[in-house]
């Protein structure tokens, strides 16, 4: 690598979310509730040249591993992302995120009249439609939410 290139450093322990659809790094940061006011080192890189995608975003979080709900939310915005668990500088696990076919309890229906918004304990459920950009359809009322509507809830 040429001396003129400054690379983002490797991390010791934590998670690297790589191959994030460009433009979505800050959404990933938000999903994970990272404010930068507590916790360890967080590195955000945007519009980095990539072999697989034209450009990509990367988020590196020291000292934290993600739960499955967080991974599902990331998949909605960055369906090509890979989650790398790092321990003692080594990638010990690489998980390719998968867009789930059904979302349960991840987003709420934007239709106020929907039964899933009533007092009853109905778990909001959506079907993920094929293709990009993201669209999800409510199991109860058929309302279709677009990527922006989903993003607003994160
Ligand atoms: N990484 C890191 N700190 C480490 C190890 C890896 O920040 N201690 C980062 C790398 O910079 C890379 C990602 O974690 O962005 C995945 O690492 P690795 O599997 O080594 O890279 P690739 O083989 O390029 O991954 P892929 O095949 O997923 O593109
Ligand atoms: Zn609904």
């Amino acid at each position: 690598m040429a001396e003129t290139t400054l690379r983002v450093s490797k991390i010791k322990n934590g998670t690297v979310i790589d191959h994030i659809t460009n433009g979505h790094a800050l959404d990933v940061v938000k999903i994970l509730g990272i404010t930068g006011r507590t916790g360890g080192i967080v590195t955000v890189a945007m519009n980095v040249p990539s072999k697989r995608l034209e450009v990509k975003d990367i988020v590196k979080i020291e000292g934290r591993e993600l739960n499955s709900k967080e991974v599902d939310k990331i998949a909605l915005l960055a369906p090509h992302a890979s989650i790398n668990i790092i321990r003692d500088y080594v990638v010990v696990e690489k998980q390719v995120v998968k867009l789930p076919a059904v979302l349960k309890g991840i987003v709420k229906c934007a239709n106020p009249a929907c039964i899933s918004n009533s007092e009853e304990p109905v778990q909001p459920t959506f079907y993920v439609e094929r293709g990009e950009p993201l669209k999800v359809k409510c199991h109860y009322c058929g309302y279709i939410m677009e990527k922006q509507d989903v993003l607003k809830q994160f």
Side-chain angles (χ1 to χ4, degrees):
M1 182 117 332
E3 278 168 24
T4 49
T5 310
L6 177 67
R7 289 210 286 178
V8 176
S9 16
K10 295 205 172 280
I11 66 172
K12 183 166 195 279
N13 290 297
T15 305
V16 174
I17 307 156
D18 200 354
H19 304 108
I20 300 169
T21 312
N22 66 306
H24 285 297
L26 293 181
D27 295 324
V28 169
V29 165
K30 194 164 169 231
I31 284 169
L32 300 177
I34 294 167
T35 61
R37 291 188 287 271
T38 56
I41 300 170
V42 176
T43 312
V44 176
M46 298 182 196
N47 294 324
V48 178
S50 157
K51 272 173 254 163
R52 224 187 291 165
L53 310 166
E54 214 164 277
V55 287
K56 64 177 181 181
D57 289 354
I58 308 171
V59 175
K60 300 190 182 195
I61 310 150
E62 288 264 12
R64 174 156 168 197
E65 297 185 7
L66 312 185
N67 65 40
S68 63
K69 208 164 197 168
E70 291 168 332
V71 172
D72 279 354
K73 286 184 179 179
I74 290 169
L76 292 175
L77 308 175
H80 310 290
S82 47
I83 311 238
N84 300 274
I85 310 292
I86 316 290
R87 295 197 191 124
D88 211 10
Y89 291 105
V90 177
V91 178
V92 293
E93 199 187 316
K94 193 183 283 275
Q95 212 185 329
V96 177
V97 306
K98 212 171 149 273
L99 197 55
V102 181
L103 301 179
K104 276 186 192 285
I106 306 260
V107 283
K108 287 185 297 185
C109 186
N111 169 14
C114 180
I115 187 165
S116 67
N117 285 319
S118 70
E119 300 284 310
E120 291 160 64
V122 176
Q123 169 135 276
T125 302
F126 288 86
Y127 302 107
V128 177
E129 311 241 296
R130 291 191 169 276
E132 280 182 70
L134 179 78
K135 278 197 178 82
V136 299
K137 185 175 183 181
C138 179
H139 165 70
Y140 297 100
C141 73
Y143 189 90
I144 291 184
M145 301 209 327
E146 315 227 337
K147 193 170 181 172
Q148 283 312 313
D149 304 319
V150 171
L151 251 176
K152 269 189 246 159
Q153 298 189 15
F154 292 163

